[in-house]
Amino acid sequence: MIDSSFKPERDVVHYNDWAPTYEDSKVQRIRNDIHQSLVDWAASSGIQPKRILDVGCGTGALLRRVGPAFPDAELNGVDISPNMVKEASRKVPKGLRVHFLQGPAEKLPFEDGSFDLVVTTICFHHWRSRVEGIAEVHRVLAPGGRFYIADHFAIGWLRALFIAFRCRDRCHTPRELNRMLRDAGFSVQGWKRLYKLWGWLPLIQGVVAEKRP
């Protein structure tokens, strides 16, 4: 699904400019909480991935949390913004095995079946085409591999908000996303609320899907 009113190049310019101070922003505390919720969710499933990919990795903050949860895994991040990739590479702590590449979700620079686990947080709605991006994630996952998405979805009060701001084409309902995942060859395993604004207002939901053999 491509939203003709959405200009992904604007996002690239915006995030390129923001990259040096991205982790200094006040909303970073919210991102950190969402990252930790996603990591805890994946770790509690009992999976033991050998190779992990973060699509839309930004400055690598999520992967720095994933590392301790899966110490034996090779970590990889990809982002469409070259400056984000540069910042992510600069922030890698000593001893963490992680690699970053520049590229869009719709054309991931990896071979088929390269990963056991793919994650993306608050980036999915920025993809130029969610359908193409999901197909690419399916391609780079090994059979049985898991795909975790954490993002804004058109649920409850957020649905009216996205309609008002004319971004409903990029923010899907669970039914819409479940269908997109199934059509791409995934089996949807479940949904989870990952973050509430002010402790009570649902803001970020997560979905996990498995690549069918």
Side-chain angles (χ1 to χ4, degrees):
M1 180 179 293
I2 297 175
D3 176 4
S4 60
S5 67
F6 177 53
K7 305 297 182 184
E9 60 274 10
R10 295 177 185 171
D11 271 0
V12 176
V13 172
H14 173 65
Y15 282 99
N16 268 338
D17 292 341
W18 195 7
T21 59
Y22 185 71
E23 293 194 20
D24 299 329
S25 63
K26 292 181 179 179
V27 296
Q28 185 61 40
R29 289 192 296 271
I30 295 177
R31 294 192 200 98
N32 288 340
D33 289 343
I34 296 165
H35 290 166
Q36 193 60 57
S37 294
L38 183 67
V39 171
D40 291 344
W41 187 22
S44 68
S45 71
I47 59 175
Q48 295 295 326
K50 295 180 179 178
R51 297 192 74 207
I52 299 172
L53 173 64
D54 181 8
V55 181
C57 64
T59 54
L62 173 61
L63 288 172
R64 298 198 299 272
R65 289 179 180 267
V66 167
F70 300 104
D72 297 325
E74 176 190 306
L75 309 178
N76 296 266
V78 62
D79 199 283
I80 196 172
S81 163
N83 286 357
M84 283 291 188
V85 171
K86 187 183 299 183
E87 283 295 312
S89 299
R90 188 178 67 81
K91 292 178 181 293
V92 175
K94 187 176 181 180
L96 187 64
R97 212 169 30 145
V98 59
H99 309 283
F100 295 101
L101 291 175
Q102 190 271 333
E106 299 81 11
K107 193 173 182 180
L108 296 173
F110 303 101
E111 295 181 357
D112 295 0
S114 298
F115 300 98
D116 310 295
L117 174 62
V118 176
V119 297
T120 185
T121 55
I122 323 178
C123 175
F124 186 67
H125 66 283
H126 287 292
W127 294 3
R128 181 185 65 85
S129 168
R130 269 71 62 205
V131 169
E132 292 176 21
I134 289 172
E136 273 292 272
V137 170
H138 185 272
R139 179 185 66 79
V140 302
L141 269 174
R146 296 281 184 97
F147 179 29
Y148 284 81
I149 304 172
D151 213 299
H152 307 283
F153 292 102
I155 301 174
W157 71 280
L158 288 170
R159 183 165 187 163
L161 183 69
F162 297 145
I163 291 172
F165 281 88
R166 299 183 181 180
C167 56
R168 175 66 179 81
D169 288 344
R170 293 187 283 124
C171 299
H172 302 286
T173 66
R175 178 179 293 182
E176 290 167 351
L177 185 56
N178 286 346
R179 183 177 64 250
M180 292 162 68
L181 289 165
R182 287 195 297 265
D183 288 348
F186 284 101
S187 174
V188 177
Q189 302 296 301
W191 284 75
K192 185 179 180 68
R193 185 173 295 162
L194 297 178
Y195 187 81
K196 295 179 182 179
L197 194 62
W198 304 305
W200 63 273
L201 189 62
L203 182 65
I204 300 296
Q205 306 283 339
V207 59
V208 56
E210 184 174 284
K211 179 175 178 175
R212 295 194 293 262

